[in-house]
Amino acid sequence: MKKLSWLLIVVFFALLPETALAGKDDLPWWGVLLLVTSISSVISAYLVWKNKKLETFTEKAMGFGAWFWFIIFLEIMVYGFYIGIDKYLN
């Protein structure tokens, strides 16, 4: 339970800067891309590193890719909701 709560805290705080920085016009599209991929890469590497079931390089690479794209999807959904709500309210 302790690991799950730490994971949720890390994911929660990892998603906050993305919406806060990307919502401004100061950050160009490549900045958003760099931010999203770096957050996803760090979280995916941590999750693969801590998983003791993944033994070979191939399993670790597949696990990293699966986590990477899943987290990218979550970040895109959060960003899309932010843009949609912002356009709806303004």
Side-chain angles (χ1 to χ4, degrees), residues 14-74:
L15 293 176
L16 283 180
E18 175 194 354
T19 57
L21 292 174
K24 297 180 181 179
D25 290 334
D26 300 341
L27 195 62
W29 67 268
W30 53 266
V32 176
L33 180 65
L34 181 64
L35 186 64
V36 169
T37 54
S38 62
I39 290 171
S40 184
S41 297
V42 168
I43 294 173
S44 300
Y46 176 77
L47 291 172
V48 168
W49 187 336
K50 291 296 180 180
N51 191 345
K52 302 297 182 195
K53 294 179 184 177
L54 303 176
E55 296 176 0
T56 65
F57 176 76
T58 305
E59 290 174 342
K60 290 180 181 183
M62 293 293 288
F64 178 84
W67 276 115
F68 179 82
W69 289 112
F70 178 71
I71 295 168
I72 290 284
F73 174 75
L74 290 177

